[in-house]
Amino acid sequence: MSAKPAVSGRNSRNIVGARVCKARASHRDCLTQDQLAGRLAVLGLPLDRGTIAKIEVGLRCVYDYEIPVLAQALGVDVRWLLGVSPAAGQRINRPK
């Protein structure tokens, strides 16, 4: 999947998708969508690879309860994931 989160001819339904894509790509191990799905499942949030792809391109919105789990799985701050903090994906508490 491309690292570009924009969908041609459509407006993104959320701001988190681009950040998920960026954090996944810049992760020290460059996480795949499938690997992220596995981390999320371990944390109790069952999102499959297809759902993560839809989030990243803006076809699916991210629910409020999903945001902290996504941040934990990606090892980033929730505020950065929401676009509130300008710190470019500062890593916190890297999951094992």
Short mmCIF file of all heavy atoms in Angstrom, two decimals, residues 20-67:
data_model
loop_
_atom_site.label_atom_id
_atom_site.label_comp_id
_atom_site.label_asym_id
_atom_site.label_seq_id
_atom_site.Cartn_x
_atom_site.Cartn_y
_atom_site.Cartn_z
N VAL A 20 -1.41 7.45 11.07
CA VAL A 20 -1.21 6.01 11.23
C VAL A 20 -0.26 5.51 10.16
O VAL A 20 0.70 4.78 10.44
CB VAL A 20 -2.55 5.24 11.17
CG1 VAL A 20 -2.32 3.73 11.06
CG2 VAL A 20 -3.42 5.55 12.39
N CYS A 21 -0.50 5.92 8.93
CA CYS A 21 0.36 5.52 7.82
C CYS A 21 1.80 5.99 8.03
O CYS A 21 2.75 5.22 7.86
CB CYS A 21 -0.21 6.09 6.52
SG CYS A 21 0.66 5.55 5.04
N LYS A 22 1.97 7.23 8.45
CA LYS A 22 3.30 7.79 8.67
C LYS A 22 4.01 7.08 9.81
O LYS A 22 5.19 6.73 9.69
CB LYS A 22 3.19 9.29 8.97
CG LYS A 22 4.51 9.97 9.14
CD LYS A 22 4.33 11.46 9.34
CE LYS A 22 5.67 12.15 9.46
NZ LYS A 22 5.52 13.60 9.59
N ALA A 23 3.31 6.84 10.91
CA ALA A 23 3.92 6.17 12.06
C ALA A 23 4.29 4.74 11.72
O ALA A 23 5.35 4.25 12.13
CB ALA A 23 2.97 6.20 13.25
N ARG A 24 3.46 4.08 10.98
CA ARG A 24 3.71 2.69 10.58
C ARG A 24 4.96 2.61 9.69
O ARG A 24 5.84 1.79 9.89
CB ARG A 24 2.49 2.13 9.86
CG ARG A 24 2.48 0.65 9.69
CD ARG A 24 1.18 0.18 9.08
NE ARG A 24 0.82 0.85 7.85
CZ ARG A 24 1.40 0.63 6.67
NH1 ARG A 24 2.38 -0.22 6.56
NH2 ARG A 24 1.00 1.28 5.60
N ALA A 25 5.05 3.52 8.74
CA ALA A 25 6.18 3.54 7.80
C ALA A 25 7.49 3.96 8.47
O ALA A 25 8.55 3.49 8.10
CB ALA A 25 5.87 4.47 6.64
N SER A 26 7.40 4.84 9.46
CA SER A 26 8.62 5.32 10.12
C SER A 26 9.00 4.48 11.34
O SER A 26 9.98 4.78 12.00
CB SER A 26 8.46 6.78 10.51
OG SER A 26 7.48 6.92 11.51
N HIS A 27 8.22 3.47 11.63
CA HIS A 27 8.53 2.59 12.76
C HIS A 27 9.88 1.94 12.52
O HIS A 27 10.25 1.66 11.38
CB HIS A 27 7.44 1.53 12.90
CG HIS A 27 7.49 0.80 14.20
ND1 HIS A 27 8.26 -0.31 14.40
CD2 HIS A 27 6.86 1.04 15.37
CE1 HIS A 27 8.11 -0.72 15.63
NE2 HIS A 27 7.27 0.08 16.25
N ARG A 28 10.60 1.67 13.56
CA ARG A 28 11.95 1.10 13.41
C ARG A 28 11.96 -0.18 12.59
O ARG A 28 12.91 -0.48 11.90
CB ARG A 28 12.61 0.88 14.76
CG ARG A 28 11.88 -0.12 15.62
CD ARG A 28 12.47 -0.19 17.02
NE ARG A 28 11.49 -0.78 17.89
CZ ARG A 28 11.66 -1.93 18.51
NH1 ARG A 28 12.76 -2.59 18.38
NH2 ARG A 28 10.71 -2.40 19.29
N ASP A 29 10.86 -0.95 12.64
CA ASP A 29 10.77 -2.18 11.86
C ASP A 29 9.92 -2.01 10.61
O ASP A 29 9.64 -2.99 9.93
CB ASP A 29 10.16 -3.30 12.72
CG ASP A 29 10.99 -3.60 13.95
OD1 ASP A 29 12.23 -3.50 13.86
OD2 ASP A 29 10.41 -3.94 14.99
N CYS A 30 9.47 -0.79 10.31
CA CYS A 30 8.57 -0.50 9.19
C CYS A 30 7.42 -1.52 9.18
O CYS A 30 7.38 -2.44 8.39
CB CYS A 30 9.32 -0.52 7.86
SG CYS A 30 8.33 0.21 6.53
N LEU A 31 6.50 -1.32 10.10
CA LEU A 31 5.37 -2.24 10.27
C LEU A 31 4.51 -2.33 9.03
O LEU A 31 4.18 -1.31 8.41
CB LEU A 31 4.47 -1.75 11.41
CG LEU A 31 4.98 -1.84 12.83
CD1 LEU A 31 3.97 -1.20 13.77
CD2 LEU A 31 5.22 -3.28 13.22
N THR A 32 4.09 -3.53 8.70
CA THR A 32 3.09 -3.71 7.64
C THR A 32 1.72 -3.51 8.26
O THR A 32 1.56 -3.53 9.49
CB THR A 32 3.17 -5.12 7.03
OG1 THR A 32 2.80 -6.08 8.03
CG2 THR A 32 4.56 -5.43 6.48
N GLN A 33 0.73 -3.34 7.42
CA GLN A 33 -0.63 -3.22 7.93
C GLN A 33 -1.04 -4.49 8.66
O GLN A 33 -1.73 -4.44 9.68
CB GLN A 33 -1.59 -2.92 6.78
CG GLN A 33 -1.40 -1.55 6.21
CD GLN A 33 -2.19 -1.32 4.94
OE1 GLN A 33 -2.57 -2.26 4.26
NE2 GLN A 33 -2.42 -0.06 4.61
N ASP A 34 -0.61 -5.63 8.18
CA ASP A 34 -0.92 -6.90 8.81
C ASP A 34 -0.26 -7.01 10.19
O ASP A 34 -0.88 -7.49 11.15
CB ASP A 34 -0.50 -8.06 7.91
CG ASP A 34 -1.19 -9.35 8.26
OD1 ASP A 34 -2.42 -9.33 8.51
OD2 ASP A 34 -0.51 -10.39 8.30
N GLN A 35 0.97 -6.55 10.30
CA GLN A 35 1.65 -6.57 11.59
C GLN A 35 0.96 -5.63 12.59
O GLN A 35 0.82 -5.97 13.77
CB GLN A 35 3.12 -6.18 11.43
CG GLN A 35 3.94 -7.24 10.74
CD GLN A 35 5.31 -6.74 10.35
OE1 GLN A 35 5.49 -5.56 10.01
NE2 GLN A 35 6.29 -7.63 10.39
N LEU A 36 0.54 -4.47 12.11
CA LEU A 36 -0.20 -3.55 12.97
C LEU A 36 -1.50 -4.19 13.42
O LEU A 36 -1.88 -4.08 14.59
CB LEU A 36 -0.46 -2.22 12.26
CG LEU A 36 -1.28 -1.19 13.05
CD1 LEU A 36 -0.66 -0.87 14.41
CD2 LEU A 36 -1.47 0.07 12.22
N ALA A 37 -2.19 -4.86 12.53
CA ALA A 37 -3.44 -5.55 12.89
C ALA A 37 -3.18 -6.57 13.99
O ALA A 37 -3.99 -6.71 14.92
CB ALA A 37 -4.04 -6.22 11.66
N GLY A 38 -2.06 -7.27 13.91
CA GLY A 38 -1.71 -8.24 14.94
C GLY A 38 -1.47 -7.58 16.29
O GLY A 38 -1.93 -8.07 17.32
N ARG A 39 -0.76 -6.47 16.28
CA ARG A 39 -0.52 -5.73 17.53
C ARG A 39 -1.82 -5.23 18.13
O ARG A 39 -2.01 -5.27 19.34
CB ARG A 39 0.41 -4.54 17.28
CG ARG A 39 1.83 -4.93 17.06
CD ARG A 39 2.68 -3.70 16.82
NE ARG A 39 4.07 -4.10 16.68
CZ ARG A 39 5.08 -3.37 17.09
NH1 ARG A 39 4.88 -2.18 17.63
NH2 ARG A 39 6.31 -3.80 16.92
N LEU A 40 -2.70 -4.74 17.27
CA LEU A 40 -3.99 -4.25 17.76
C LEU A 40 -4.82 -5.38 18.35
O LEU A 40 -5.48 -5.20 19.38
CB LEU A 40 -4.75 -3.56 16.62
CG LEU A 40 -4.14 -2.25 16.11
CD1 LEU A 40 -4.85 -1.79 14.85
CD2 LEU A 40 -4.18 -1.18 17.18
N ALA A 41 -4.79 -6.54 17.73
CA ALA A 41 -5.54 -7.70 18.24
C ALA A 41 -5.05 -8.09 19.63
O ALA A 41 -5.86 -8.38 20.52
CB ALA A 41 -5.41 -8.87 17.27
N VAL A 42 -3.73 -8.08 19.83
CA VAL A 42 -3.17 -8.40 21.14
C VAL A 42 -3.65 -7.41 22.19
O VAL A 42 -3.88 -7.76 23.34
CB VAL A 42 -1.62 -8.42 21.07
CG1 VAL A 42 -1.00 -8.45 22.45
CG2 VAL A 42 -1.15 -9.60 20.24
N LEU A 43 -3.84 -6.16 21.78
CA LEU A 43 -4.31 -5.11 22.69
C LEU A 43 -5.83 -5.07 22.83
O LEU A 43 -6.37 -4.21 23.51
CB LEU A 43 -3.79 -3.74 22.22
CG LEU A 43 -2.26 -3.58 22.27
CD1 LEU A 43 -1.85 -2.28 21.58
CD2 LEU A 43 -1.78 -3.59 23.72
N GLY A 44 -6.52 -5.99 22.15
CA GLY A 44 -7.98 -6.07 22.29
C GLY A 44 -8.77 -5.27 21.28
O GLY A 44 -9.97 -5.05 21.47
N LEU A 45 -8.13 -4.80 20.23
CA LEU A 45 -8.83 -4.03 19.19
C LEU A 45 -8.72 -4.79 17.87
O LEU A 45 -7.72 -4.70 17.16
CB LEU A 45 -8.22 -2.64 19.04
CG LEU A 45 -8.89 -1.70 18.03
CD1 LEU A 45 -10.34 -1.43 18.41
CD2 LEU A 45 -8.11 -0.41 17.92
N PRO A 46 -9.74 -5.57 17.53
CA PRO A 46 -9.67 -6.41 16.32
C PRO A 46 -9.96 -5.64 15.03
O PRO A 46 -11.09 -5.60 14.55
CB PRO A 46 -10.74 -7.48 16.58
CG PRO A 46 -11.75 -6.78 17.45
CD PRO A 46 -10.96 -5.79 18.28
N LEU A 47 -8.92 -5.02 14.46
CA LEU A 47 -9.04 -4.38 13.16
C LEU A 47 -8.18 -5.17 12.19
O LEU A 47 -7.00 -5.41 12.45
CB LEU A 47 -8.52 -2.93 13.20
CG LEU A 47 -9.23 -1.95 14.13
CD1 LEU A 47 -8.59 -0.57 14.02
CD2 LEU A 47 -10.71 -1.87 13.80
N ASP A 48 -8.76 -5.58 11.06
CA ASP A 48 -7.98 -6.36 10.10
C ASP A 48 -7.20 -5.45 9.16
O ASP A 48 -7.34 -4.23 9.19
CB ASP A 48 -8.86 -7.34 9.32
CG ASP A 48 -9.93 -6.65 8.49
OD1 ASP A 48 -9.82 -5.44 8.21
OD2 ASP A 48 -10.88 -7.34 8.09
N ARG A 49 -6.35 -6.04 8.33
CA ARG A 49 -5.51 -5.29 7.42
C ARG A 49 -6.32 -4.39 6.50
O ARG A 49 -5.97 -3.25 6.23
CB ARG A 49 -4.63 -6.25 6.58
CG ARG A 49 -3.57 -5.51 5.78
CD ARG A 49 -3.24 -6.17 4.46
NE ARG A 49 -4.37 -6.40 3.60
CZ ARG A 49 -4.96 -5.48 2.82
NH1 ARG A 49 -4.54 -4.24 2.81
NH2 ARG A 49 -5.99 -5.79 2.06
N GLY A 50 -7.43 -4.90 6.00
CA GLY A 50 -8.28 -4.11 5.12
C GLY A 50 -8.85 -2.87 5.79
O GLY A 50 -8.94 -1.80 5.19
N THR A 51 -9.23 -3.01 7.05
CA THR A 51 -9.75 -1.87 7.81
C THR A 51 -8.66 -0.83 8.02
O THR A 51 -8.91 0.37 7.89
CB THR A 51 -10.33 -2.34 9.15
OG1 THR A 51 -11.37 -3.30 8.90
CG2 THR A 51 -10.89 -1.18 9.95
N ILE A 52 -7.46 -1.29 8.33
CA ILE A 52 -6.34 -0.35 8.51
C ILE A 52 -6.05 0.38 7.20
O ILE A 52 -5.83 1.59 7.19
CB ILE A 52 -5.09 -1.09 9.03
CG1 ILE A 52 -5.36 -1.58 10.46
CG2 ILE A 52 -3.86 -0.19 8.98
CD1 ILE A 52 -4.34 -2.55 10.99
N ALA A 53 -6.12 -0.33 6.09
CA ALA A 53 -5.92 0.31 4.78
C ALA A 53 -6.97 1.38 4.54
O ALA A 53 -6.65 2.49 4.07
CB ALA A 53 -5.96 -0.74 3.67
N LYS A 54 -8.22 1.10 4.87
CA LYS A 54 -9.30 2.08 4.69
C LYS A 54 -9.10 3.29 5.59
O LYS A 54 -9.37 4.43 5.19
CB LYS A 54 -10.65 1.43 4.96
CG LYS A 54 -11.07 0.48 3.86
CD LYS A 54 -12.39 -0.19 4.18
CE LYS A 54 -12.75 -1.19 3.09
NZ LYS A 54 -13.99 -1.90 3.40
N ILE A 55 -8.62 3.06 6.81
CA ILE A 55 -8.33 4.18 7.71
C ILE A 55 -7.24 5.06 7.12
O ILE A 55 -7.36 6.28 7.09
CB ILE A 55 -7.92 3.65 9.11
CG1 ILE A 55 -9.14 3.08 9.83
CG2 ILE A 55 -7.27 4.75 9.94
CD1 ILE A 55 -8.81 2.31 11.10
N GLU A 56 -6.19 4.43 6.63
CA GLU A 56 -5.05 5.19 6.10
C GLU A 56 -5.40 6.02 4.88
O GLU A 56 -4.83 7.10 4.69
CB GLU A 56 -3.89 4.24 5.79
CG GLU A 56 -3.23 3.69 7.03
CD GLU A 56 -2.01 2.84 6.73
OE1 GLU A 56 -1.66 2.65 5.54
OE2 GLU A 56 -1.38 2.37 7.70
N VAL A 57 -6.31 5.57 4.06
CA VAL A 57 -6.68 6.35 2.87
C VAL A 57 -7.90 7.23 3.10
O VAL A 57 -8.34 7.93 2.20
CB VAL A 57 -6.88 5.46 1.62
CG1 VAL A 57 -5.60 4.75 1.26
CG2 VAL A 57 -8.02 4.50 1.80
N GLY A 58 -8.45 7.19 4.31
CA GLY A 58 -9.56 8.08 4.65
C GLY A 58 -10.93 7.58 4.29
O GLY A 58 -11.89 8.34 4.30
N LEU A 59 -11.07 6.31 3.98
CA LEU A 59 -12.39 5.76 3.66
C LEU A 59 -13.16 5.33 4.90
O LEU A 59 -14.37 5.13 4.83
CB LEU A 59 -12.26 4.55 2.71
CG LEU A 59 -11.76 4.87 1.31
CD1 LEU A 59 -11.58 3.59 0.51
CD2 LEU A 59 -12.74 5.80 0.61
N ARG A 60 -12.46 5.16 6.01
CA ARG A 60 -13.11 4.78 7.26
C ARG A 60 -12.63 5.72 8.36
O ARG A 60 -11.44 5.99 8.48
CB ARG A 60 -12.74 3.34 7.65
CG ARG A 60 -13.41 2.89 8.95
CD ARG A 60 -12.72 1.63 9.45
NE ARG A 60 -13.31 1.07 10.65
CZ ARG A 60 -12.98 1.42 11.89
NH1 ARG A 60 -12.11 2.40 12.11
NH2 ARG A 60 -13.52 0.81 12.92
N CYS A 61 -13.57 6.21 9.14
CA CYS A 61 -13.18 7.08 10.25
C CYS A 61 -12.68 6.22 11.41
O CYS A 61 -12.94 5.02 11.48
CB CYS A 61 -14.34 7.96 10.68
SG CYS A 61 -15.77 7.07 11.29
N VAL A 62 -11.96 6.86 12.30
CA VAL A 62 -11.44 6.19 13.48
C VAL A 62 -12.30 6.61 14.67
O VAL A 62 -12.52 7.79 14.89
CB VAL A 62 -9.96 6.58 13.73
CG1 VAL A 62 -9.44 5.94 15.00
CG2 VAL A 62 -9.11 6.20 12.54
N TYR A 63 -12.79 5.63 15.40
CA TYR A 63 -13.62 5.91 16.56
C TYR A 63 -12.75 6.33 17.74
O TYR A 63 -11.59 5.94 17.85
CB TYR A 63 -14.46 4.69 16.92
CG TYR A 63 -15.42 4.32 15.83
CD1 TYR A 63 -15.19 3.21 15.02
CD2 TYR A 63 -16.55 5.10 15.57
CE1 TYR A 63 -16.06 2.89 13.99
CE2 TYR A 63 -17.42 4.77 14.55
CZ TYR A 63 -17.17 3.66 13.77
OH TYR A 63 -18.03 3.34 12.75
N ASP A 64 -13.34 7.11 18.63
CA ASP A 64 -12.58 7.65 19.76
C ASP A 64 -11.92 6.56 20.60
O ASP A 64 -10.77 6.72 21.01
CB ASP A 64 -13.45 8.56 20.62
CG ASP A 64 -14.72 7.89 21.14
OD1 ASP A 64 -14.99 6.71 20.80
OD2 ASP A 64 -15.46 8.55 21.90
N TYR A 65 -12.57 5.46 20.83
CA TYR A 65 -11.98 4.40 21.66
C TYR A 65 -10.83 3.68 20.95
O TYR A 65 -10.03 3.00 21.60
CB TYR A 65 -13.04 3.39 22.10
CG TYR A 65 -13.65 2.57 20.99
CD1 TYR A 65 -13.07 1.37 20.59
CD2 TYR A 65 -14.80 3.00 20.33
CE1 TYR A 65 -13.61 0.61 19.56
CE2 TYR A 65 -15.35 2.25 19.30
CZ TYR A 65 -14.76 1.06 18.93
OH TYR A 65 -15.30 0.32 17.91
N GLU A 66 -10.72 3.82 19.64
CA GLU A 66 -9.65 3.17 18.89
C GLU A 66 -8.34 3.97 18.92
O GLU A 66 -7.26 3.41 18.78
CB GLU A 66 -10.07 2.98 17.42
CG GLU A 66 -11.23 2.03 17.26
CD GLU A 66 -11.77 1.98 15.84
OE1 GLU A 66 -11.65 2.98 15.09
OE2 GLU A 66 -12.33 0.93 15.48
N ILE A 67 -8.45 5.27 19.12
CA ILE A 67 -7.28 6.15 19.03
C ILE A 67 -6.19 5.81 20.05
O ILE A 67 -5.03 5.66 19.67
CB ILE A 67 -7.70 7.63 19.10
CG1 ILE A 67 -8.51 7.97 17.85
CG2 ILE A 67 -6.48 8.55 19.24
CD1 ILE A 67 -9.17 9.32 17.88
#
